[in-house]
Amino acid sequence: MPVPTPVRSKLKTAFKNARTIAPLYTSGPVAITSDGTRLITCVAEDILLTNVESGLEICRFIGDTQSINSLCITPSSSHLLVFTSSLSLRIYELPDSPEPLKKRIPPIRVVGRAHEAPVHVCKADPSSTYVASGSADGVVKVWDIRRGFVTHVFKGHGGVVSALAFNYPQDAGLVTQSRIMHLITASVDTRIRIFNLVEGASTSSGGGKPEAVLEGHVSVPRGLDVSMDGKWLISGGRDSVVLIWDLSSKSPSAKEKKGSRKMSALSPTLVKTIPILERVEAVGLLLPDEIVVNSKTDVDGIRFYTGGEKGVIKIWDGKKGEIIQRFGQEAGQVSEELEEQRQIVNIIHLASTSTVISIHADQNIVFHSLSTGSLSRQLIGYNDEIVDATFLSYKASDSLPRPDSHIALATNSSLIRVYSAQNLDARLLEGHSEIVLALDHGVNGTILVSGSKDRTARIWAPVAAEAEGSNTTWAYGCVGLCEGHAESVGAVAMARTGDAPKFMFTGSQDRTIKMWDLSKIPLQTAGLDDKDISRCNSLTTHKAHEKDINSLDVSPNDRFLVSGSQDRMAKVYEIQYTAGEGGSVRGELKLIGTCKGHKRGVWTVRFGRAERVLATGSGDKTVKLWSLDDYSCLRTFEGHTNSVLRVDFLNAGLQLVSTASDGLVKLWNIREEECVATLDNHEDKVWALAISSDERTIVSGAADSVVTFWEDCTEEHETEKEAKRTELALKDQDFLNYLSLHDYKRAIQLALSLSQPGRLLSLFKDVGSSEEGDDLSITGSSSVDEVIRSLEGSDLAKLLRYVRDWNTNAKTSAIAQRVLLAVVKSRSADDVIQAFGDETEEKVFADGESSKPADSASTGRTALKELVDALIPYSERHLSRMERLVQESYVVDYILGEMDDGMFDNNLLDDDAMDVDTAVIGRGA
């Protein structure tokens, strides 16, 4: 029976940037469309529009390079209004496309100086007609959005305006709606003012005075909201209380003219004061019929939400003054800095999807479902430096793990970020007290291990869906803690075989390697409480290196461990692990080899998955491949311009992937010892590298806080190349067919479309030297002359550029001059100018730019001038060369005539004799 030959893997030579996790939100205001599908955030001075479901950036908006102070979206989701620190108001139309756009969105209107002081709050009215803006000098303006002018100006606020709200009661049961619209403002003088925008003293004719001034807060109010029916006003501030006001009560006006109709003034009354016991930064009312978990709907009741310094959203019953539901977890005893980062700066309520969105000071945006009480989505705004990354396979209860469904990131933070690989939905893993330095995944990718500067390592497992206290769609919880190192844990590695984790290793700045017993660690956790964490036992401690340990890796068969250190060495150990009866476990490490050869510290080590080899990356800018038989260096890969930070094997050990401080990801062919691809999407050190289990995706993370997903597109590239090759072969055959049929028009057009000047040159050369040439034709064929006469704009411009290039060479100058003469004889200067103008417009259209060039005629004249300037010097040189050749030919004829002693003079016909200027020749002699 013949033995089947193994199929050799093809080299992967092309990877495309499939998606990135880039900074989404750094600081400033946040807004979301009413349907909850598109999110507006600020990254430095840029404004981003993001698709919430997919996590893809749709577009960016053209700004004025100044920081964003305030922004809002109209309830109709048609316009975005932005106030910047330059005091300008910029109005944009929101694009409807869910797909990413290449160009930035320009504003449809810009008001250069909207206020005399920075605007910190703005609010659009329910009809999407007006927007109110409150500035730091206590002035509130109401703007007409579509026309861009001010309709009302309200002064007299005692300082910075801190909150705005519109009161425009809408009752669906009424045929005619009320035209009365009120604007409610709050400022740092703790007063709440109510202005009537339609009639009364608040209008410009009435002096712009408030209809009512409410006093009740003792600190700045940060949130205002009005019920749909306009009856209730709720206000919350930094005095840790929420006030509920009744807006329906009115009092008769003091001044009543005889015979006039009775006027009534607005006289709100304070109904209830509810202590919140924390500084309130955001407050809002829920709809009466809105379903909230653990709460019954009450049409006549008042339910509202608050958020503030504790970082938790609380749902309150306004009548009872009790908390109905909490979203988020209150932190225990944490540092003041961490508590400040966790606090809520704003809350957005989406009635259409029954969702509350909290924006936190640490740039996290959290979506909570009111109906289910679960955390439905979390967007992480900013990741800082990416230090390490690893793929995870999330395992829900009673189901198989989904391969590479999530990716864990260690950043310049004590919190571990775990992202869904499909979108930007993320979770934060809390447990470490210092920066996390290293990550690794365990068996089947279900278990995560992390090492930190707090001198501990933690093991994380998926949270069971039915776990008590689990209010999220997916999560990870800490199940194990490894304590014992005297310095930071900078390297971790888990066992690679078995159905459950058996052991793991940690490497530290204390220059030791510890082996830990994981036999009692569960694959799932029942909750997020610290009481479920197991303390892992250390099996052995080994003094490994003379300097810091940077990297660890366990071989695929769990028999060997390798460590890389700043002492420029990589050491290989034999793992001796035995599990005895009664659950007793023993573990030892035995040094069996040392790899020496690097000139700087070793940053990364990795075992080969298919062969007995080892790869190391070093600060000396090289990657080395070592044999595990004699620990000799087999290959050295050079190409990076800075320290190599991460390395891994790919494609059954045929290739290597490396990342470095130069911001590049390089793909190497091990056999040929060459770089086959360079992936560039980072601007800083690439610390993190992860490869999916199917090896089709490479993830790189850098200090520029960007994570890039590179997908293998080698087959697509080969298919595309083959299709182009086939198409080119067919067109080549068409070209030859046109030539044989003397269809010069199609042949020339095809050569121009293919951008093949060589074929075009040979065509003109064959036509000019053909015996069947037309003496009256310029190019040698009247049909070719006709083609040149009828060429369209861009083709004519391309032909003239080819003529310019041919004219630079003496061998092809004759053909160039012949074609140029045909163009000059058959086309006017205006035609040529128009041709270059059309070419420019086609390039602009091909690049996808919507703006037209300034002037096609001026562009064409400039291009024609450049062409003529390039043609003249070479043409003059060719002319002088031809004149010199003619003169030299006279001398040759004279010499030949003298050599034959007039032997052939009698046979020369008069027509064939050459006229020679004897005087010139005599002087030359």
Side-chain angles (χ1 to χ4, degrees):
M1 181 177 178
V3 178
T5 57
V7 179
R8 184 176 178 182
S9 300
K10 290 185 178 180
L11 292 180
K12 300 178 184 292
T13 57
F15 281 80
K16 64 181 179 181
N17 183 351
R19 62 177 291 123
T20 60
I21 300 176
L24 173 70
Y25 170 61
T26 53
S27 64
V30 174
I32 193 167
T33 55
S34 56
D35 58 2
T37 59
R38 291 170 293 169
L39 180 72
I40 292 286
T41 54
C42 301
V43 176
E45 291 83 24
D46 286 340
I47 307 171
L48 277 64
L49 179 64
T50 305
N51 186 320
V52 175
E53 186 63 31
S54 64
L56 295 177
E57 179 184 313
I58 298 175
C59 67
R60 297 194 177 204
F61 297 87
I62 297 176
D64 58 1
T65 68
Q66 299 294 319
S67 59
I68 312 301
N69 286 341
S70 180
L71 60 80
C72 64
I73 297 177
T74 57
S76 62
S77 303
S78 59
H79 291 82
L80 169 67
L81 303 108
V82 178
F83 292 89
T84 68
S85 58
S86 65
L87 309 182
S88 67
L89 164 62
R90 307 173 75 85
I91 304 176
Y92 303 87
E93 282 188 348
L94 285 180
D96 296 328
S97 172
E99 299 299 324
L101 304 177
K102 293 182 179 180
K103 289 183 65 66
R104 289 176 176 248
I105 305 299
I108 61 173
R109 186 182 300 277
V110 177
V111 179
R113 197 172 183 85
H115 280 264
E116 298 299 321
V119 175
H120 294 295
V121 288
C122 62
K123 182 83 171 181
D125 81 301
S127 65
S128 302
T129 307
Y130 305 102
V131 62
S133 56
S135 65
D137 59 0
V139 176
V140 175
K141 293 184 180 181
V142 181
W143 304 78
D144 187 296
I145 295 175
R146 296 192 179 275
R147 297 177 179 85
F149 60 81
V150 177
T151 61
H152 299 76
V153 178
F154 302 119
K155 299 180 181 180
H157 297 83
V160 179
V161 179
S162 58
L164 296 170
F166 279 96
N167 180 17
Y168 190 46
Q170 297 293 307
D171 189 348
L174 297 178
V175 177
T176 58
Q177 302 292 338
S178 172
R179 291 185 62 253
I180 302 298
M181 181 185 293
H182 289 91
L183 175 64
I184 306 172
T185 67
S187 60
V188 294
D189 63 0
T190 72
R191 292 183 175 89
I192 299 171
R193 295 169 173 84
I194 303 177
F195 298 91
N196 190 326
L197 301 183
V198 180
E199 60 187 14
S202 298
T203 60
S204 57
S205 60
K209 297 179 180 179
E211 254 189 16
V213 178
L214 311 183
E215 297 184 4
H217 286 282
V218 295
S219 184
V220 53
R222 292 289 296 130
L224 296 172
D225 199 10
V226 183
S227 60
M228 291 290 291
D229 57 6
K231 183 180 179 181
W232 302 106
L233 167 66
I234 187 171
S235 62
R238 291 178 177 169
D239 51 5
S240 303
V241 297
V242 167
L243 306 181
I244 301 177
W245 308 82
D246 184 359
L247 297 180
S248 60
S249 60
K250 295 183 179 181
S251 62
S253 177
K255 296 181 180 180
E256 297 180 9
K257 291 184 179 180
K258 188 176 181 180
S260 63
R261 63 184 181 88
K262 190 175 182 180
M263 298 287 293
S264 60
L266 196 65
S267 179
T269 56
L270 179 61
V271 177
K272 196 174 185 64
T273 300
I274 301 175
I276 306 300
L277 305 180
E278 66 169 329
R279 292 195 306 271
V280 177
E281 295 292 330
V283 64
L285 288 163
L286 301 180
L287 298 180
D289 57 348
E290 198 161 4
I291 299 175
V292 179
V293 64
N294 299 331
S295 170
K296 296 180 180 180
T297 59
D298 184 1
V299 178
D300 298 325
I302 300 175
R303 293 175 300 171
F304 62 91
Y305 57 84
T306 61
E309 61 178 331
K310 294 184 179 179
V312 177
I313 299 177
K314 299 175 183 178
I315 309 297
W316 297 78
D317 186 326
K319 289 184 177 180
K320 300 178 181 179
E322 298 176 350
I323 298 176
I324 303 173
Q325 180 68 22
R326 282 186 173 89
F327 296 101
Q329 292 184 339
E330 292 189 20
Q333 295 181 350
V334 296
S335 64
E336 184 177 344
E337 181 182 359
L338 185 58
E339 183 179 359
E340 184 178 349
Q341 291 178 353
R342 290 172 54 92
Q343 71 177 0
I344 293 174
V345 296
N346 193 15
I347 296 177
I348 302 173
H349 174 222
L350 288 179
S352 60
T353 58
S354 189
T355 303
V356 285
I357 306 166
S358 58
I359 296 94
H360 297 256
D362 58 0
Q363 295 100 26
N364 293 320
I365 303 172
V366 185
F367 293 65
H368 292 280
S369 172
L370 289 171
S371 56
T372 63
S374 64
L375 190 157
S376 56
R377 184 177 296 275
Q378 181 169 348
L379 303 179
I380 297 175
Y382 188 65
N383 283 319
D384 208 349
E385 294 188 17
I386 310 297
V387 179
D388 204 358
T390 186
F391 273 104
L392 296 174
S393 301
Y394 187 78
K395 184 180 185 301
S397 301
D398 301 329
S399 65
L400 295 174
R402 292 172 290 165
D404 305 325
S405 60
H406 295 75
I407 185 164
L409 302 177
T411 67
N412 196 18
S413 166
S414 61
L415 304 175
I416 302 172
R417 275 85 163 154
V418 181
Y419 281 88
S420 168
Q422 303 300 319
N423 50 41
L424 286 182
D425 191 16
R427 299 292 182 269
L428 296 174
L429 308 187
E430 301 181 19
H432 288 289
S433 58
E434 295 288 342
I435 294 173
V436 178
L437 300 175
L439 299 174
D440 194 16
H441 63 260
V443 180
N444 299 326
T446 56
I447 302 297
L448 172 68
V449 62
S450 59
S452 169
K453 272 189 174 182
D454 61 6
R455 299 176 291 181
T456 67
R458 286 178 178 263
I459 300 98
W460 311 82
V463 175
E466 66 276 4
E468 183 180 354
S470 175
N471 59 348
T472 178
T473 51
W474 61 273
Y476 278 82
C478 185
V479 294
L481 177 63
C482 304
E483 295 179 305
H485 280 290
E487 296 290 343
S488 302
V489 178
V492 291
M494 295 193 75
R496 307 298 183 197
T497 62
D499 296 329
K502 297 179 293 185
F503 55 83
M504 62 170 278
F505 297 92
T506 56
S508 170
Q509 286 185 354
D510 61 12
R511 304 167 191 176
T512 64
I513 298 174
K514 285 183 177 288
M515 184 177 183
W516 305 87
D517 176 25
L518 302 184
S519 58
K520 298 179 180 179
I521 297 297
L523 294 178
Q524 278 192 336
T525 178
L528 301 173
D529 297 332
D530 292 343
K531 62 183 180 181
D532 300 326
I533 299 177
S534 302
R535 306 278 174 170
C536 300
N537 296 323
S538 174
L539 299 178
T540 184
T541 302
H542 189 87
K543 177 70 166 59
H545 290 272
E546 296 301 321
K547 291 186 178 180
D548 298 352
I549 298 173
N550 292 328
S551 181
L552 296 174
D553 191 36
V554 177
S555 63
N557 58 5
D558 283 348
R559 290 183 56 194
F560 303 102
L561 171 74
V562 61
S563 62
S565 169
Q566 285 295 108
D567 61 7
R568 299 178 291 180
M569 290 187 290
K571 294 185 177 181
V572 183
Y573 306 87
E574 182 182 357
I575 301 172
Q576 299 174 348
Y577 176 84
T578 55
E581 297 180 358
S584 62
V585 176
R586 292 186 56 194
E588 293 289 339
L589 287 177
K590 178 182 178 183
L591 179 64
I592 58 175
T594 302
C595 301
K596 297 181 179 180
H598 281 295
K599 298 177 182 178
R600 295 286 180 89
V602 177
W603 280 107
T604 177
V605 291
R606 188 67 67 180
F607 279 109
R609 300 187 184 95
E611 299 180 3
R612 290 176 54 82
V613 291
L614 167 70
T616 59
S618 167
D620 60 10
K621 311 174 188 177
T622 65
V623 177
K624 288 183 180 290
L625 192 70
W626 308 83
S627 169
L628 289 179
D629 295 326
D630 55 4
Y631 307 103
S632 61
C633 181
L634 303 176
R635 296 276 194 280
T636 299
F637 303 90
E638 297 179 346
H640 284 291
T641 59
N642 215 324
S643 302
V644 178
L645 302 176
R646 293 289 184 270
V647 67
D648 206 344
F649 284 89
L650 190 69
N651 200 8
L654 295 176
Q655 293 179 270
L656 276 173
V657 183
S658 62
T659 68
S661 295
D662 55 13
L664 301 177
V665 180
K666 286 185 177 289
L667 193 62
W668 306 87
N669 179 354
I670 293 179
R671 187 179 299 276
E672 302 296 332
E673 204 170 333
E674 65 177 1
C675 178
V676 296
T678 299
L679 313 178
D680 184 8
N681 192 45
H682 297 286
E683 298 176 356
D684 211 334
K685 299 177 182 179
V686 185
W687 284 105
L689 176 67
I691 298 178
S692 61
S693 55
D694 60 2
E695 297 187 342
R696 290 191 54 84
T697 304
I698 297 174
V699 172
S700 59
D704 58 3
S705 74
V706 174
V707 179
T708 306
F709 289 76
W710 306 95
E711 285 190 0
D712 181 18
C713 59
T714 305
E715 293 183 3
E716 297 176 16
H717 273 227
E718 290 181 354
T719 304
E720 186 178 347
K721 285 182 180 178
E722 187 62 31
K724 287 183 177 179
R725 195 180 298 115
T726 304
E727 183 182 3
L728 187 60
L730 292 175
K731 289 186 176 181
D732 287 346
Q733 186 60 47
D734 290 341
F735 182 81
L736 296 175
N737 293 341
Y738 294 148
L739 284 183
S740 62
L741 296 173
H742 299 290
D743 189 351
Y744 294 119
K745 181 176 182 179
R746 293 185 179 180
I748 291 174
Q749 289 176 342
L750 183 59
L752 287 171
S753 65
L754 293 175
S755 298
Q756 293 181 339
R759 284 188 177 275
L760 208 55
L761 179 67
S762 63
L763 184 150
F764 287 124
K765 185 177 181 181
D766 293 342
V767 169
S769 61
S770 174
E771 296 179 356
E772 302 175 359
D774 188 356
D775 295 336
L776 299 178
S777 171
I778 301 174
T779 60
S781 171
S782 57
S783 58
V784 174
D785 291 353
E786 182 61 30
V787 172
I788 293 176
R789 189 179 297 111
S790 61
L791 274 179
E792 297 181 358
S794 59
D795 288 341
L796 178 60
K798 188 179 291 186
L799 177 61
L800 286 173
R801 296 189 192 280
Y802 291 158
V803 168
R804 177 198 60 191
D805 297 337
W806 298 337
N807 196 49
T808 60
N809 193 330
K811 294 181 180 179
T812 57
S813 61
I815 301 171
Q817 291 293 328
R818 192 183 303 132
V819 176
L820 182 60
L821 178 61
V823 173
V824 172
K825 288 281 188 180
S826 60
R827 307 300 288 265
S828 65
D830 292 337
D831 287 348
V832 178
I833 292 174
Q834 184 63 36
F836 282 109
D838 293 345
E839 183 187 41
T840 304
E841 289 183 0
E842 288 183 11
K843 286 182 179 178
V844 171
F845 181 77
D847 292 339
E849 298 183 12
S850 59
S851 59
K852 293 183 65 177
D855 185 4
S856 60
S858 62
T859 305
R861 280 192 292 270
T862 304
L864 178 59
K865 183 180 182 301
E866 293 175 353
L867 180 75
V868 172
D869 290 343
L871 285 171
I872 288 175
Y874 285 100
S875 298
E876 291 176 346
R877 186 182 302 176
H878 297 320
L879 179 60
S880 62
R881 178 172 54 82
M882 296 302 295
E883 290 176 347
R884 189 170 59 254
L885 286 175
V886 170
Q887 291 180 3
E888 291 176 355
S889 67
Y890 292 159
V891 178
V892 172
D893 278 348
Y894 176 77
I895 293 173
L896 290 176
E898 291 297 322
M899 289 175 62
D900 59 17
D901 291 331
M903 184 183 301
F904 302 104
D905 283 350
N906 298 329
N907 296 331
L908 287 174
L909 298 176
D910 292 340
D911 293 340
D912 296 333
M914 178 180 291
D915 296 330
V916 179
D917 191 344
T918 55
V920 174
I921 296 176
R923 285 197 299 270

